[in-house]
Amino acid sequence: MARTTKKVDPPMVKKPAGESVAGQGEDRQIALLKAMIRVFRETIPCTTEEEVARACLKIAEELTGSSYGFIGEMSQEGLFDTTMISEAGWGACGVPKGEAEILLRSMPDRGFIRAGLKEGRSWIINAPDSHPERVERPEEHPTIGSFMGIPMRFMGGITGMIGLAKREGSYDLSDQEEMEALSNAFVETLNRRRAERKVEELNEELQRNLHKEEAANRELEAFSYSVSHDLRAPLRHITGFVELLNKRDLPALDEKSRHYLQVISDAASRMGTLIDDLLAFSRISRTEMMKSEVDFDLLVRDCIDELMEGEKGREVTWDIAPLPRIEGDPALIRLAMLNLLANALKFTRPRPLARIEVGAITDHPDEILYYVRDNGVGFDVKYMDKLFGLFQRLHSSEEFEGTGIGLANVKRIIERHGGRIWAEGAAGEGAVFRFSLPKERGVDLWR
Amino acid sequence: MAIKLKKILLVEDNPNDAELTMEALAGHNLANGVVWVKDGEEALDYLHCRGKYADGDCSELSVILLDLKLPKVDGLEVLAAIRANKRLKFVPVVVLTSSREERDLVESYRLGVNAYVVKPVDFGDFMKAVEELGVFWALINEPPPAIGRQGMK
């Protein structure tokens, strides 16, 4: 007797076709357990649901001594979707495959299969030709001596069925019970494969979207750079020649003319600021990020010192909570904080006593939530979407100076670190700007 | 002893920038010594004393103010040619350009530029920068001694 030891699978008691394993319940229990182990093990290398179904079917046929079988799943419209016919089944089937598949799809609506599915339980028909519900089968249909239908259940509903048939012989109650147990294993593996595929698809889509967004950003940055670059020369000429004109001190230049010249100069100067801001914005996205540990406490105090130089004589209460260190590009983070704090200072200017808080929330395991709160003029929540837009402003230049690029820069910086930023506030009631930065290994999320 | 002021070669394709530059240099009476060429090819012609400058006065230069974005032969090529030439390789060259691009900066220094100045957008700053450049290189700095008058190899 040859001994084959190469197979890793637990050897199964193979029933000769037509005969169920006779005798002791224990043997059958062991056979069932081995069949379940096989289901989980043999479906691991399967890459598609069809392969999973095919593997399950083979195991079911072997366990029950069936000649052939099929697995079908109900789609949302109640039709058979993934239908798998065993190799043996196709072998015995004389009906051309195309036609057979069409017939298969209408199976749930006909005959004893429909009856069985509607009742939602498994059934055995050991003399199908004399069944009251029987339906004409084409002549070339594989011979069916006995038939067993097992519904597949998931989440309280019937998702499909397994059909097994023997050319000769019959099924018994134990076959039915075993198959009902095995059918749960089938459902599990099919669903797992399905979930894995869905996750793969979602990941691919995510990657695609990320690439698209990156590409769009790079284009915008390149455009910003070249446009602002090319605009500088004519701007220099405008301001330059107006200056030269002024210097000439001509008698023809009356009060009005000098005023016009001043307007031209100021406009050109403002254009220069806009261009510089645009260049800064594009630069923020193009420079490579330096990984380092950011000492937030030190950084914020540093920014405050710098900003307060330009705010002499103002009453400002700074409430700075201890700020945790985090991985980041110090130069970029500094720029972001400068922007946020400068904004807080700017929009609290109308207040007799400005109050600005900076703090962090550390409960989340993966990220730290920093915030900057001020008691300034706030903003109208209905313009929330515009807040971080490029060159979007919610106040006129008479009320508050600025080009509207600050928050767009901050958003870009935070997002490059893999974080999120948003704001809360109300008109006349101050504002809170919150942003998250990923902790440990946040560098994996940098863009 | 009359001090012969050496010339300043201005290589600039934009006439407006050229005019502004000369205005800035005029403040220290340096404008008369400026030779203005409009592209890289003309610059090389002047330096080789050939073409339209064949019978001109190709006297010693105190400094070359060089724009980078030039038609025909661009600034970096001109710079390379200058540094490759025995007679000219020690002439001070100051790149005066709108570009702040990293690669222009790196390449210019690699080729041996003496200074790299980005044209300020602000007119006042521009004038001041050019004036200071002119005063330093043409008046304060000691130019390299003459190295013979043979033509370029």
Side-chain angles (χ1 to χ4, degrees), chain A residues 290-296 325-330:
Chain A
M290 309 289 289
K291 178 170 103 142
S292 180
E293 195 187 50
V294 177
D295 183 342
F296 245 101
R325 295 169 185 244
I326 199 160
E327 242 173 8
D329 179 318

Side-chain angles (χ1 to χ4, degrees), chain A residues 50 72-77 79-84 105:
Chain A
E50 283 71 27
E73 283 189 285
M74 314 279 276
S75 65
Q76 245 137 9
E77 301 87 44
L79 301 168
F80 266 11
D81 215 359
T82 21
T83 305
M84 182 55 52
R105 286 195 208 294

Side-chain angles (χ1 to χ4, degrees), chain A residues 124-397:
Chain A
I124 294 177
I125 299 165
N126 280 323
D129 291 337
S130 44
H131 196 279
E133 296 256 358
R134 73 168 277 271
V135 135
E136 280 299 329
R137 276 193 303 278
E139 261 176 48
E140 306 87 341
H141 194 283
T143 320
I144 297 195
S146 57
F147 178 87
M148 177 163 66
I150 312 286
M152 297 202 300
R153 293 173 213 282
F154 185 66
M155 306 254 273
I158 309 278
T159 56
M161 69 172 283
I162 305 157
L164 295 164
K166 293 186 183 184
R167 247 181 252 110
E168 301 152 354
S170 50
Y171 293 106
D172 63 20
L173 220 51
S174 304
D175 286 320
Q176 204 174 333
E177 284 167 3
E178 281 162 21
M179 273 314 302
E180 277 174 3
L182 207 56
S183 119
N184 288 327
F186 289 178
V187 170
E188 279 302 305
T189 49
L190 274 168
N191 284 343
R192 190 194 64 211
R193 187 83 283 284
R194 214 159 269 156
E196 281 168 12
R197 188 162 52 80
K198 192 73 188 169
V199 166
E200 271 163 34
E201 271 172 27
L202 285 173
N203 271 336
E204 274 167 29
E205 200 185 316
L206 189 64
Q207 282 303 316
R208 269 197 302 274
N209 284 341
L210 264 176
H211 284 148
K212 255 192 272 175
E213 194 195 319
E214 287 293 319
N217 269 329
R218 270 196 302 274
E219 260 186 62
L220 176 63
E221 283 131 33
F223 175 74
S224 306
Y225 182 80
S226 69
V227 159
S228 45
H229 201 258
D230 295 335
L231 288 174
R232 283 182 150 194
L235 196 58
R236 184 172 49 248
H237 302 155
I238 293 173
T239 38
F241 284 90
V242 165
E243 275 297 309
L244 288 175
L245 195 58
N246 270 326
K247 277 196 197 166
R248 291 173 79 81
D249 211 21
L250 294 173
L253 282 184
D254 63 343
E255 196 70 32
K256 204 78 182 174
S257 306
R258 289 192 194 280
H259 163 67
Y260 291 161
L261 284 175
Q262 190 61 45
V263 170
I264 295 173
S265 274
D266 291 344
S269 172
R270 177 162 174 77
M271 194 163 133
T273 313
L274 277 166
I275 291 174
D276 283 343
D277 283 351
L278 200 54
L279 264 181
F281 176 71
S282 90
R283 201 176 302 132
I284 277 173
S285 312
R286 283 156 61 235
T287 48
E288 232 178 275
M289 288 179 44
M290 309 289 289
K291 178 170 103 142
S292 180
E293 195 187 50
V294 177
D295 183 342
F296 245 101
D297 269 329
L298 194 57
L299 191 149
V300 166
R301 280 170 218 289
D302 205 47
C303 291
I304 294 176
D305 285 342
E306 187 180 312
L307 291 170
M308 288 308 280
E309 283 287 310
E311 304 274 337
K312 297 236 153 70
R314 267 190 73 185
E315 287 267 359
V316 181
T317 306
W318 292 97
D319 184 352
I320 319 287
L323 299 168
R325 295 169 185 244
I326 199 160
E327 242 173 8
D329 179 318
L332 287 179
I333 298 285
R334 182 167 199 281
L335 195 55
M337 288 311 294
L338 256 172
N339 261 301
L340 288 174
L341 295 169
N343 270 357
L345 277 171
K346 181 160 71 179
F347 291 105
T348 50
R349 220 175 278 144
R351 305 288 191 230
L353 179 61
R355 188 191 166 77
I356 303 175
E357 294 169 40
V358 184
I361 297 172
T362 51
D363 346 319
H364 201 285
D366 302 323
E367 59 185 21
I368 299 185
L369 265 178
Y370 297 88
Y371 62 84
V372 176
R373 180 183 283 117
D374 68 68
N375 67 341
V377 298
F379 60 92
D380 195 335
V381 175
K382 71 173 185 258
Y383 297 123
M384 175 84 77
D385 298 332
K386 293 192 159 197
L387 210 53
F388 296 96
L390 194 56
F391 291 141
Q392 295 283 9
R393 312 199 63 225
L394 299 186
H395 302 275
S396 74
S397 7

Side-chain angles (χ1 to χ4, degrees), chain A residues 225 229 232-233 235-237 239-241 243-244 247-248 272 276 279 283 286, chain B residues 14 16-17 19-20 23 69 98-101 118-123 126-127:
Chain A
Y225 182 80
H229 201 258
R232 283 182 150 194
L235 196 58
R236 184 172 49 248
H237 302 155
T239 38
F241 284 90
E243 275 297 309
L244 288 175
K247 277 196 197 166
R248 291 173 79 81
D276 283 343
L279 264 181
R283 201 176 302 132
R286 283 156 61 235
Chain B
N14 186 302
N16 290 334
D17 273 335
E19 196 176 334
L20 288 177
E23 282 287 335
K69 308 276 179 267
S98 315
S99 161
R100 199 183 264 112
E101 284 283 292
V118 176
K119 290 179 195 166
V121 176
D122 182 81
F123 172 71
F126 177 75
M127 295 294 263

